[in-house]
Amino acid sequence: MGTIGRSPWQKLDLWARAAAPSLSLLVLVMLGVMPLQLPGYGAVAPLLPLIGVYYWILHRPDLITFPVLFVVGLFQDLLTGGPLGVSGFVFLTIGWLVLSQRRVLAGMPVLVVWSGFAMIAAVAVGLEWLIISGLYGEILPVRPAIYRALVTGAAYPIVAVCLHPVLRTMTPPPPSA
Amino acid sequence: MRQQARSVARIVALRAIAQRFSLAVLLLASVGVMMIGKIDAVIVENLRSRVTDAVAPMLDAAARPVAAVNQVIADARAFLALREENARLAARVAELQHYEAVAHRLEAENLNLQALFNFHPEQTHAFITARVIADNSGAFVRSLAVNVGTRAGVGDGMAAVGGRGLVGRTVQTGERSARILLLTDLNARIPVLIERTRQRAVLAGDNTHQPSLAYLPPDSAPLAGDRIVTSGHGGLFPPGLPVGVVASIGDGLVRVEPFEDLSRLEHVRVLDFRAHTGGAAMRGIPGGGP
């Protein structure tokens, strides 16, 4: 299937649709640092891009590549001021994990997909905690990490509902995917 | 036909190998980046301020409606509590009138004594008011991004204060944005004084909402409720900025509750203190002069 015979606008449209998942991850990173001015929110702020990573790999693994996860992770670390490279490592690991479990989760009822994500969130935040503790050379408080995992897990449906319209506007995946 | 199927299978297998290879390479690259950040923080900080700078206009625009909604909610709440607030304030005014008299007397006495000892008071500092455009406080980092940078005269290491007390200090400054490391962050160390006893200590953040006092002299006996202010040692911060009060003492750990509610900051003031101290430490800061 080639793009011969398509107008530039059609090409742009196709390109935009293919890039939408990656762009949505960048938007989630920025939403994650919005100053909401809620007391105590900062300590438990959910890892919003992780939801996007899970959602897109589950629904359109052909549109999210490992380099994209790496770049989104770098962007997250640069913006939040966390140690550089940690989020990239976490997103790549989670991306690989979800990709390997995709067959099990695809087409399951929403609640199963959600609880799958809750487990993934626990793994991701645990990994993050472990790496940052190692980098700083001291054991970080565990409680904020637990809250972060819980809040991230709980935020899944909200983000998924926002990503759903994006998924619906997309062209269907190639048959091999 | 069979040949075609075989070549398709081969392509699929190759793609799977390439994917696994790219995963391994990128995981290694992540570890490499972590090591670079650990060894050469300057490169990373530079990159950080550039990226924050680039997205600052977007974050700024997005932060405005949130701030507006918060303002409306706060206004509505304040309106409902008007009567109680009024009664409380009237009582407070009566109480403060007494202190006003005391303050006048002390100020006069202080001026007299300063004249007597030929004491040179410190120059006042300029400040730059900034809007908080990103709250980066996650479970592992406590920092904010604000919408002023070197163009407005902000530099690294300046004190950031809210309406009630110290918030943190600027750590990386881009052209249009700066990052403020909150005093609760794991890496924050601020030289402070216990106001009552004048004993020096270092306020050390540990990512909880109450930082603790480190390097307290062994004979010190802080009490709950003691005010903690900056000591001015190290020359980064002006002395006497209110920081917080001693909240709890236990397990050899003295915890301090910051005066400022760090989770709901909308604006902060960045104090340009060093520009006025002169001497070798003076740095040329554009627009920072009096």
Side-chain angles (χ1 to χ4, degrees):
Chain A
M1 198 170 86
T3 47
I4 308 150
R6 291 182 198 275
S7 75
W9 287 113
Q10 271 175 316
K11 276 187 213 163
L12 185 71
D13 185 53
L14 278 178
W15 179 85
R17 281 166 200 233
S22 311
L23 291 177
S24 75
L25 291 184
L26 295 180
V27 171
L28 284 173
V29 172
M30 285 202 266
L31 282 180
V33 299
M34 284 272 289
L36 290 182
Q37 268 119 26
L38 298 174
Y41 173 76
V44 299
L47 194 51
L48 289 183
L50 189 75
I51 302 177
V53 170
Y54 180 80
Y55 184 88
W56 288 119
I57 291 191
L58 219 55
H59 292 101
R60 291 300 298 265
D62 55 314
L63 295 181
I64 294 281
T65 58
F66 287 129
V68 166
L69 294 183
F70 180 71
V71 170
V72 170
L74 281 188
F75 186 54
Q76 159 93 3
D77 287 336
L78 287 172
L79 213 57
T80 58
L84 203 62
V86 176
S87 298
F89 194 92
V90 170
F91 292 165
L92 284 168
T93 314
I94 294 304
W96 167 76
L97 199 64
V98 179
L99 206 57
S100 67
Q101 299 302 314
R102 206 182 144 246
R103 298 249 160 91
V104 184
L105 288 165
M108 281 286 188
V110 178
L111 270 179
V112 177
V113 173
W114 186 2
S115 34
F117 178 72
M119 278 186 263
I120 290 287
V123 173
V125 176
L127 193 62
E128 200 182 26
W129 179 86
L130 208 66
I131 298 174
I132 299 181
S133 293
L135 279 176
Y136 285 166
E138 58 182 288
I139 295 170
L140 291 172
V142 181
R143 207 176 292 175
I146 294 173
Y147 290 150
R148 182 173 166 87
L150 288 176
V151 174
T152 307
Y156 177 76
I158 304 167
V159 178
V161 162
C162 299
L163 292 176
H164 199 62
V166 185
L167 178 71
R168 273 193 303 187
T169 60
M170 286 197 190
T171 45
S176 66
Chain B
M1 197 66 191
R2 191 183 294 168
Q3 205 170 0
Q4 201 180 354
R6 205 178 292 163
S7 70
V8 166
R10 199 176 297 160
I11 287 171
V12 169
L14 272 178
R15 197 180 286 168
I17 291 169
Q19 204 177 23
R20 216 165 288 170
F21 183 70
S22 84
L23 175 66
V25 168
L26 289 168
L27 281 175
L28 279 178
S30 302
V31 175
V33 169
M34 285 179 218
M35 292 302 128
I36 293 173
K38 199 93 179 120
I39 297 162
D40 190 350
V42 179
I43 295 180
V44 174
E45 298 305 293
N46 225 328
L47 190 64
R48 234 189 256 284
S49 58
R50 275 188 198 189
V51 169
T52 314
D53 241 19
V55 295
M58 272 187 271
L59 290 174
D60 196 7
R64 273 163 210 260
V66 178
V69 169
N70 273 315
Q71 191 59 50
V72 169
I73 295 170
D75 282 353
R77 221 177 259 167
F79 188 73
L80 290 175
L82 220 52
R83 186 187 286 269
E84 282 164 43
E85 179 85 355
N86 202 14
R88 200 176 59 77
L89 288 177
R92 188 84 181 127
V93 165
E95 192 184 324
L96 287 177
Q97 263 162 357
H98 165 68
Y99 284 106
E100 192 189 0
V102 175
H104 278 307
R105 190 171 55 77
L106 287 177
E107 193 186 9
E109 190 180 299
N110 199 8
L111 281 176
N112 266 333
L113 291 174
Q114 278 184 10
L116 204 61
F117 285 109
N118 197 18
F119 177 79
H120 293 283
E122 270 159 305
Q123 302 216 349
T124 50
H125 31 256
F127 59 81
I128 304 140
T129 304
R131 172 203 295 283
V132 175
I133 53 170
D135 181 353
N136 309 336
S137 312
F140 308 114
V141 196
R142 297 294 159 95
S143 71
L144 300 173
V146 293
N147 69 341
V148 295
T150 48
R151 271 193 209 169
V154 174
D156 285 354
M158 290 180 176
V161 296
R164 277 162 290 186
L166 188 71
V167 169
R169 70 184 162 93
T170 54
V171 283
Q172 336 134 358
T173 321
E175 269 190 25
R176 287 177 300 224
S177 67
R179 199 160 73 87
I180 292 173
L181 191 74
L182 296 179
L183 48 87
T184 47
D185 188 272
L186 193 65
N187 293 312
R189 297 285 180 277
I190 296 161
V192 291
L193 281 178
I194 301 172
E195 202 176 50
R196 185 175 53 88
T197 62
R198 311 307 290 175
Q199 272 161 331
R200 288 163 62 175
V202 169
L203 188 73
D206 54 5
N207 280 0
T208 63
H209 64 282
Q210 290 182 336
S212 60
L213 289 180
Y215 307 116
L216 267 176
D219 58 329
S220 67
L223 300 173
D226 271 351
R227 274 168 58 94
I228 304 295
V229 299
T230 54
S231 69
H233 293 111
L236 269 181
F237 295 168
L241 287 180
V243 177
V245 292
V246 173
S248 66
I249 304 159
D251 301 338
L253 214 58
V254 181
R255 295 229 165 248
V256 175
E257 174 79 35
F259 283 125
E260 200 62 52
D261 183 355
L262 300 174
S263 56
R264 30 191 349 170
L265 288 166
E266 284 181 49
H267 296 92
V268 296
R269 281 181 303 156
V270 181
L271 297 185
D272 187 358
F273 171 64
R274 293 176 304 178
H276 294 261
T277 55
M282 184 167 166
R283 289 156 38 125
I285 295 170

